[in-house]
Every structure is written in structure tokens, then in C-alpha cells.
Amino acid sequence: MLSLVRVLLVNALSLNDLRSRRRRGRTLLVWGAVLLGVSPIVIAWAALVGVAYAGLGASATPLYDLALAGAYALAQFAVLFTAVPMAWGQLLRARDLGILLSLPLRPGQIVVAKLATLWVFEFCIGAALLGPVLFHHLVWTGGGPARAAMALALLATMPVLPLCGATLAVLLLGNVPRLGRSGWFWQLISLAALLSVWLVMARTLPEGESARDLADLAALKVAQARQLGRAAPGVGLVVRALTADGLAALGGLLSALAAAAAGVGAVLLLADRLYLRPVLEGAGAAARGHGRAEAVRPRPFLLSCARREIAGVLREPAVALNGLGGYLAVPLALAVSLFMSPRGGEADGGGAEIAQVVALLRAPEAAGVAPLAFAGAGLAAAALGALSSLFSTSFSKDGRRLWIERSLPVAPYAVFLGKWLGAMAIVAVAHGATMVVAAWFVRPPLGPWLYACVVGLLAIGACGAVGLSIDALRPKLVWKETVEAVKQNANVPLGLLASAALLGTNALLLWACAAAGLPAAARWLAPVALNLAMLGYALVLGRAAAARFGEMDI
Amino acid sequence: MIELQAARKAYGDKVAVEGLSLAVPDGEIFGFLGPNGAGKTTTIKMIAGLLRPDAGRVLVNGIDVRAEPIRAKREMAYVPDGPDVYEKLTGAQFVNFVADAYRVERAARQARVAELAAAFDLGPVLGDQIESYSHGMRQKIVLMAALVHRPRVWILDEPLVGLDPRAAFTLKTMMRAHADGGATVFFSTHVLEVAEKLCDRVGIIAQGRLVACGALDELRSCPSESLESVFLELTAG
Ligand SMILES: Nc1ncnc2c1ncn2[C@@H]1O[C@H](COP(=O)(O)OP(=O)(O)OP(=O)(O)O)[C@@H](O)[C@H]1O
Ligand SMILES: [Mg+2]
């Protein structure tokens, strides 16, 4: 059991690299860099906590319990957020179940070992966040050794509940793919659903105790603490354990520990059903879609090739998430910022300000600025798609299957165009959705909005064709898992550079337009013309690259 | 009809195939034999247009593969030695994709897919993603895709590896029927019994050079000699 945890940890941290002399230097360098990057933040945080406690101690009614509750809830949220991707990696991506299940281990042991491995990471995060707070709390409230021991126990168990929550969420989501073939789509939907439920909860909670009824600041804070208590389970118990005396404190501690144990129990109970049994029953791949065979329907090869590209991306979650990461990150960041904003309405207020700017742009005096502003906005949004790795890894992704395209009686350029079309279709949908969401916030006039969409898509098309050309010239064909073709591919940074250059050219053009004082019509046309020309040129380049690709020995 | 004229291919310093000349006329099953690393796959890839010969020419039905690759590829079916296919497509989608490249008409495609699916027993899984196929099923779907456009020239690299006995029998029958219909089958194999029973002529390649080529009877020094001993003799050292 312990040895299993050790092996999992060694594997997760690549500790064996330390043993091989060749890799040791590099590994130590990476660790050093990580430590160097993180330690100032940790030190600053500890210092901040110290200052805050000094401030608290000086005030008339020190709200130690409130500070503790806040810090505890914060740490739990941090654990929850970091634990989701980690649990996904440890439980679903690590393909070690086949080996583990064949060992004489009870299923519970496997799950507990994985949880323990995750706990080690999360404890580090928790200790960095909560540790200083607990320390100062003890110092300022004058706790003895008994209370210090309790604090340590609570620090150690803090990550357990959010960790269990994250694990359960991951296991539940991991089981969703069996609903359909494009499992990742369902995962995203459920993630979005969870997120919106959470947002709605977060926004409606304060209204329960209407801020106007709260007489003073302290009362408001207490209300917020209560709200925190509802959002982060166990906060109340912990506060009781560390602020109350005698039996009450002990009760708080024991209840907190019991809650953690209950969380682990819940995971153990469900893990067998959700995690191990599906593997034992052979449902792991989720690929056995019992769909009817596709109807026989001839298509032009170009479309057929684009369709294949789309299916290849959408059915490979890692590839899709990698390629569309930009489009997912922005709404996510937006949602998080909505939640984090202290006043619920602030984000809308920001939207209103943008709307005012847009209204100004509509005014006749702004005729000269409007085209540049809209083109700029469209191009800024396009950066999300232009920087996508879908294009610059398309040939690489074929890997050992490249023989198919090469042995078919089609021109290499047809393959190139098919891939370009397919990737464009995916990016265009994501881009369109982003533009619609943006329009909902900003409410621009329809015409200029469409204009921004067109300019953006043209730029994405040009950048994509350049990225695809790069990949046609030097595909990375040797890999074991498709993710490698996307993640460890030098063509991605090369494509990024090329796209950045193209977008930079656009920025230069906008600046030149503004500086040269062109008439409005010319300002509307110039960005379109530039991006059309770049797209045309990129496609011509692509033709040459595809020809080289057609000559390549494979 | 396949013709190789003094074909040569080297990977860097390593010469894989040297001065290979060979003609396979219509109506013939040609077996390509040789030890591991002799250059069989390299030769086959040159015929299929996946490798450019460093010197010499490759003609398929009289079309130079290097000069007119697209026209030449229309004539042939290529099955590689390992069934690496798009895992995320369903079997039907993959076959349709290949058929689109060959521009197979709807009616012809329907009939051919039904026929091949029945022959290889793949009908029930055509709607499943290839990811869920076994090794042999993948081999079969590659064969199906390769044959869907009724090519004249079949070029198969160890096509029987991984097939179950029934599928192997089906494929061998199809190869025979295809050659008897006046078309060409070129395949490599390590199974000498298959070569002995199936092939009209065999070629033996060792260290990149053709060391023997002809009908089985021509290769034997006496009628009772087995192909195995011929092979061992020719490829010794
Ligand atoms: N991509 C490559 N790079 C370098 N050398 C190669 C490459 N592919 C093949 N070779 C070399 O070329 C020679 C011929 O290889 P080839 O694959 O044609 O052999 P083969 O006859 O098909 O063997 P097998 O029976 O094992 O399939 C071998 O010596 C091999 O090492
Ligand atoms: Mg071979």
C-alpha cells in the first residue's frame, strides 16, 4: 500500500530522472525554477498574513474567527480547483489500471493510494495558503500546544474534502462519455452546467440577507462568513475547533475529522462503481458506439477530407482542448471574474461602459475611428483562433497513418485544402460563438459586428494556412499517442511565431491607416484587403508546401 | 502489369534495394519473398508511390509512378504491413473516405461495400469506431478500403498476417479470382506454403538484390525440392 503510493509519487514527479546522471541536471533545473518562481509568492503571502493579523490585533473587535474562516475557505477552493485536473490525470489519464488491477490489491487500496498521492500535492498547496494563517492565529489568540496540535491536524485534513469532491466530479464526468461518441462534448456541457449552477448559487446567496438590512460592516462580514461556510464545507467546524474552548473545540475537531473521513468513504463507495468496475467490465475505451453504419454517400474528396479532419479532432478530447484552448479560456476567465467580483453587478457595469464606448463609435464624429476599432476588435478575437494548434499539427497528427493520404489518387494540395477546411470549420464555429457572446456583452451594431467577424476569420484563415504549410514541410510523424503530436511539436511555436507576425502586420496597417488620415471608406477596406491578400498568398505557399509533402519519403 | 526498371533505394548510407528489375504481367499472382530487412517493404512502397526511387523507374499499367502519381494510384490498391488507420473514424466512414478519393459511384460503392463486408464478416461492426477493432479487424478494414474501387493492380505487404483462417482463405480466393480475371496481384509473405500454393511466380530478394525470380518449377533444381529449401539455399550467408 505505502509502496504503491511511493511508486505513484515517483512516477508523477519523474523522480527517477534524479537517479540517471544525464537527466539529473535538467530535472533539478526545472525544480529549481519552479521553486524560485513559487517561493516569492509564498513568502509574500505569509508576510501579508502577518500584516493582516497585526492589523486585526490592533482593532477594537478582532475578527479572528472571520479571518480563519476566510482563509480556510480560500484554501479549500484552491485545492478544489487544482485537484480537478490532477485527479483527471491521476485517475483517468494514467493508464496504469490494467497493471494495478492485475496485482493482488483490493480495489479500495488502489483508490486510497491514488487519493493519498493527490493529497501530497494538495497538502503542499494547503500548507502554503493556510499554514501562515494558522500560525498567526495561534500566535494572536494565544493557543497552547494542544491547540497547535489541533491546528496541525486540521491543516492536514483540510484538502481531503475538496479533494474528494474533485475526485467524484472527475469520476462522474469520466463516466459521461458513454452517453455518446463525442464524449468530450458532454464533458464540456456538464462542466458548463456545473459552472453555471455554481455561479447562480454564488450570486443568489448574498441576496438572501439583503445587504441593506445589515446595519454595520461587522454584520456584513459575519454574513459573508456564513455564506463562505455554506460554500466551503466544514469551515464552521474548523472555526469552532480553533476559537472555542474545551469540549466545544474538541467536538469541532472531531466533527471536522469525521467529515473528512465521510468524504473518503463516499469516494471509496462510488469509486468501485464509477472507476474500477467499468474497466473490469471492459467499457474503458468508450469507443464501441453502437451506431448504425454511415449511409453510403459519395462526396467530393475535399469535403470528405475536411469531415475526416473534423471527426479526428472532435473525437480526440486532448487535441480539441489543445486546439481550442483559447476559446475556452476566455469564457472561463470571464465566469471566474464574475464570481470573484465582490459586487455581483460589477461585470455588467463593465459591459455598460463598453456599450457607451460603442455608442460613441456610432456617432458621426467617430466615422474615422470606428472601422479601425472594429477591425482591431475582430483581429484581437481572431488571435484566439490564429494561435490554435489545430493547423500547425494537422499533418503531424496523421503520424503512421500518413500512408493513407499518400497512397490515394489525390493531389497533395487537395489533402492540404481538405485539412485547412476542416480545421477552419471547427475554429469558425468556436470563433462565431465567441463573437456572439462578445456581442451580447458589448451590443455593437450588426454591420460592424459582421465586419469584425469577417476580418477575424480572414486573418485566422491566413494564419492557419501558414501553420499548415509549416506542418506539411516538417511533420512530426513518430509518436505513440496523438497528444504527443500536438504537445511536443516544434511546429506549434513556429506556427505561433508566423501567426504573431501576420497579426503584427495587421496592427501595423491599422496604425498606418490612423496615421495617414485615409478616408473612412478606405479604412473599412484596408484590413479586409490586407487579410484577403495574406490568405491568398498563404494558400499559394500551401500549394508549394503540399507539393513537397507529396514527394516526401514515408 | 507492374514493371520495375533498375530501381534503387537507399536510406542515407544504407542501401535497401539495388538494381531491382522485375516485371509482373497481367493475370498473375506474384509472391515476393525474402528474409527480414531484405527490402520487400521498401520495394512495395516504391511501387505504391510512398518512396521515391533514387534511380530507375517504376511503372504500373505502363504509367510511371513518379511522373504521374495520381494516375498511377488510380490503378492500384495498396495494403501496408501494419494496419495503421484513423482510429476515431468508424469503419464505414473510413471506407467511404477512401472511396471518395477514388470517386466511386454510389450504387457501385453500396454493392461493393456490402460484398466485402460479407466476405470479411465486418458488417456488424462497420458503425463502430476503428479504435474498438482488434488487430485482424483493422487489417480487414484496410483491405476493404483498398479493394472498394475494384483496382486492377493489388499491392499487398504481408496481407495475411493477423487474419483468421476463414478471412485468409477468403482473401486467397479473391486474389486467385482477381488474377484469373486478367489483373495483377503482387504480395509479400513469409509463409512459404502460401506462396507455393498460390503464386504463379515468385521473386526472392536478399540484401536488396533479387536473387531469384520465376515460376516455382523453374526455381527448383529437382521436382521434389520444396520452396523452403530453395529459399534457405538462396538466402544463405
Ligand atoms: N525508414 C528507414 N530508415 C532507415 N533504414 C530503413 C528504413 N526502412 C527500412 N530500412 C532498412 O532498409 C532495409 C530493408 O527494409 P524493408 O522494410 O524493406 O525490409 P523487409 O524485407 O520488408 O523486411 P520484413 O520482412 O522484416 O518486413 C532494412 O535493412 C532496414 O533496416
Ligand atoms: Mg516488410
Side-chain angles (χ1 to χ4, degrees):
Chain A
M1 181 69 203
L2 272 179
S3 88
L4 181 56
V5 176
R6 202 176 63 90
V7 167
L8 289 177
L9 268 177
V10 165
N11 188 27
L13 293 172
S14 329
L15 286 184
N16 275 342
D17 282 358
L18 288 180
R19 300 221 182 113
S20 89
R21 190 149 311 143
R22 201 165 47 79
R23 298 235 198 103
R24 186 183 297 162
R26 227 192 67 189
T27 315
L28 284 179
L29 208 74
V30 170
W31 280 100
V34 169
L35 276 183
L36 258 183
V38 171
S39 55
I41 301 175
V42 174
I43 293 170
W45 168 247
L48 193 76
V49 171
V51 171
Y53 264 87
L56 269 183
S59 80
T61 50
L63 295 165
Y64 292 124
D65 54 344
L66 185 69
L68 187 64
Y72 195 84
L74 177 75
Q76 284 204 322
F77 271 121
V79 170
L80 187 67
F81 265 118
T82 50
V84 168
M86 276 200 217
W88 188 65
Q90 183 62 250
L91 295 167
L92 299 183
R93 277 222 34 219
R95 303 200 169 152
D96 52 2
L97 266 194
I99 304 170
L100 292 182
L101 282 174
S102 71
L103 297 176
L105 293 168
R106 266 178 285 122
Q109 287 178 311
I110 297 177
V111 176
V112 168
K114 296 212 157 201
L115 272 183
T117 312
L118 292 172
W119 175 85
V120 172
F121 289 102
E122 296 303 348
F123 177 72
C124 295
I125 294 174
L129 277 177
L130 193 57
V133 178
L134 284 179
F135 175 77
H136 286 291
H137 182 84
L138 288 176
V139 169
W140 285 92
T141 56
R147 187 162 275 183
M150 279 164 79
L152 264 184
L154 288 171
L155 182 64
T157 48
M158 184 278 294
V160 173
L161 268 185
L163 190 57
C164 291
T167 307
L168 283 179
V170 163
L171 285 181
L172 281 171
L173 290 184
N175 271 267
V176 174
R178 253 169 274 140
L179 284 181
R181 286 226 199 96
S182 42
W184 74 276
F185 177 75
W186 290 105
Q187 289 190 27
L188 275 188
I189 295 280
S190 9
L191 201 67
L194 273 182
L195 210 79
S196 39
V197 167
W198 179 46
L199 273 177
V200 168
M201 268 173 48
R203 287 191 141 209
T204 48
L205 273 180
E207 276 161 30
E209 18 222 329
S210 160
R212 250 173 286 128
D213 301 340
L214 298 169
D216 58 6
L217 192 73
L220 179 76
K221 291 281 178 195
V222 170
Q224 279 191 351
R226 226 176 283 157
Q227 179 199 338
L228 274 175
R230 246 179 280 173
V235 169
L237 300 175
V238 172
V239 171
R240 182 134 56 88
L242 289 181
T243 51
D245 298 309
L247 273 184
L250 197 65
L253 174 71
L254 289 181
S255 325
L257 294 186
V264 175
V267 170
L268 274 179
L269 245 154
L270 284 170
D272 186 44
R273 243 194 106 70
L274 293 178
Y275 182 43
L276 300 172
R277 211 180 296 168
V279 176
L280 288 173
E281 286 167 1
R288 242 192 159 93
H290 289 286
R292 276 185 310 112
E294 170 180 80
V296 173
R297 179 154 152 231
R299 290 188 179 79
F301 178 73
L302 207 63
L303 287 188
S304 202
C305 193
R307 259 170 57 98
R308 199 220 60 210
E309 184 73 14
I310 294 170
V313 170
L314 294 191
R315 289 177 188 168
E316 193 85 68
V319 173
L321 288 179
N322 221 287
L324 299 174
Y327 285 112
L328 291 176
V330 167
L332 215 68
L334 216 73
V336 169
S337 74
L338 266 182
F339 175 69
M340 292 299 174
S341 67
R343 279 173 295 134
E346 193 181 62
D348 299 345
E353 278 157 30
I354 298 174
Q356 277 178 354
V357 173
V358 173
L360 278 182
L361 283 177
R362 266 195 230 195
E365 309 87 68
V369 187
L372 302 183
F374 281 109
L379 286 165
L384 295 177
L387 303 180
S388 160
S389 64
L390 286 184
F391 295 98
S392 53
T393 58
S394 186
F395 283 98
S396 301
K397 269 192 324 239
D398 282 340
R400 296 168 57 82
R401 302 167 295 198
L402 207 60
W403 67 268
I404 301 171
E405 281 152 7
R406 284 290 305 278
S407 65
L408 292 178
V410 289
Y413 193 47
V415 175
F416 180 95
L417 286 180
K419 283 179 175 297
W420 182 80
L421 262 183
M424 265 316 271
I426 297 170
V427 173
V429 168
H431 189 72
T434 306
M435 290 301 281
V436 168
V437 171
W440 187 69
F441 271 101
V442 179
R443 307 203 182 277
L446 182 65
W449 178 78
L450 279 175
Y451 170 80
C453 287
V454 168
V455 172
L457 283 176
L458 284 176
I460 293 176
C463 294
V466 172
L468 195 55
S469 305
I470 293 175
D471 200 38
L473 287 178
R474 45 194 306 282
K476 174 190 166 111
L477 300 174
V478 184
W479 41 258
K480 272 211 219 98
E481 285 203 48
T482 325
V483 190
E484 276 174 57
V486 179
K487 286 220 165 136
Q488 300 159 20
N489 193 335
N491 293 341
V492 174
L494 281 178
L496 281 182
L497 271 181
S499 299
L502 291 190
L503 292 175
T505 314
N506 264 300
L508 266 182
L509 175 88
L510 293 185
W511 174 78
C513 279
L518 292 179
R523 291 180 178 213
W524 284 111
L525 276 179
V528 175
L530 173 71
N531 284 292
L532 254 182
M534 288 202 304
L535 174 60
Y537 187 63
L539 288 176
V540 171
L541 259 183
R543 191 180 189 107
R548 286 274 297 277
F549 158 77
E551 298 268 279
M552 194 180 295
D553 284 348
I554 55 171
Chain B
M1 169 83 176
I2 301 168
E3 228 182 318
L4 288 132
Q5 300 171 349
R8 176 185 190 277
K9 182 71 202 177
Y11 299 101
D13 293 340
K14 164 107 186 106
V15 179
V17 171
E18 176 83 78
L20 185 70
S21 295
L22 150 101
V24 183
D26 288 343
E28 184 173 290
I29 300 184
F30 186 87
F32 202 39
L33 313 176
N36 292 135
K40 298 183 295 299
T41 298
T42 305
T43 307
I44 285 178
K45 280 186 169 177
M46 282 196 285
I47 302 174
L50 300 182
L51 288 176
R52 271 180 305 165
D54 300 334
R57 294 211 303 165
V58 180
L59 305 176
V60 171
N61 282 351
I63 305 164
D64 188 329
V65 176
R66 178 80 207 280
E68 292 183 84
I70 296 183
R71 215 153 74 81
K73 287 172 190 171
R74 282 205 163 282
E75 303 285 324
M76 53 181 157
Y78 164 64
V79 172
D81 48 357
D84 292 306
V85 277
Y86 307 119
E87 310 240 305
K88 297 290 171 182
L89 293 192
T90 67
Q93 281 172 338
F94 177 58
V95 174
N96 262 326
F97 169 71
V98 173
D100 283 335
Y102 286 101
R103 302 201 205 111
V104 183
E105 295 300 329
R106 177 196 291 256
R109 188 182 300 196
Q110 233 154 13
R112 186 69 171 155
V113 168
E115 178 191 334
L116 289 169
F120 290 123
D121 216 9
L122 273 187
V125 295
L126 277 185
D128 291 353
Q129 280 183 35
I130 296 178
E131 197 173 42
S132 71
Y133 285 18
S134 73
H135 182 89
M137 285 154 81
R138 288 171 198 223
Q139 184 77 12
K140 288 177 182 175
I141 202 77
V142 171
L143 274 166
M144 249 185 94
L147 302 183
V148 74
H149 70 289
R150 298 182 185 277
R152 289 277 295 160
V153 177
W154 294 6
I155 296 153
L156 318 172
D157 199 352
E158 303 189 30
L160 299 169
V161 172
L163 292 186
D164 61 57
R166 179 181 300 280
F169 176 76
T170 309
L171 181 62
K172 284 186 278 185
T173 316
M174 285 166 74
M175 285 160 78
R176 187 72 264 165
H178 191 62
D180 289 347
T184 314
V185 178
F186 184 108
F187 79 108
S188 72
T189 182
H190 289 299
V191 189
L192 297 180
E193 291 76 26
V194 169
E196 213 160 5
K197 279 203 200 120
L198 199 61
C199 299
D200 301 306
R201 287 196 310 144
V202 297
I204 298 178
I205 185 173
Q207 294 175 343
R209 290 174 182 280
L210 199 64
V211 291
C213 183
L216 284 168
D217 293 336
E218 296 166 26
L219 298 184
R220 294 181 177 121
S221 45
C222 64
S224 62
E225 194 182 10
S226 71
L227 180 58
E228 186 172 29
S229 52
V230 173
F231 182 91
L232 293 176
E233 206 172 286
L234 284 170
T235 57

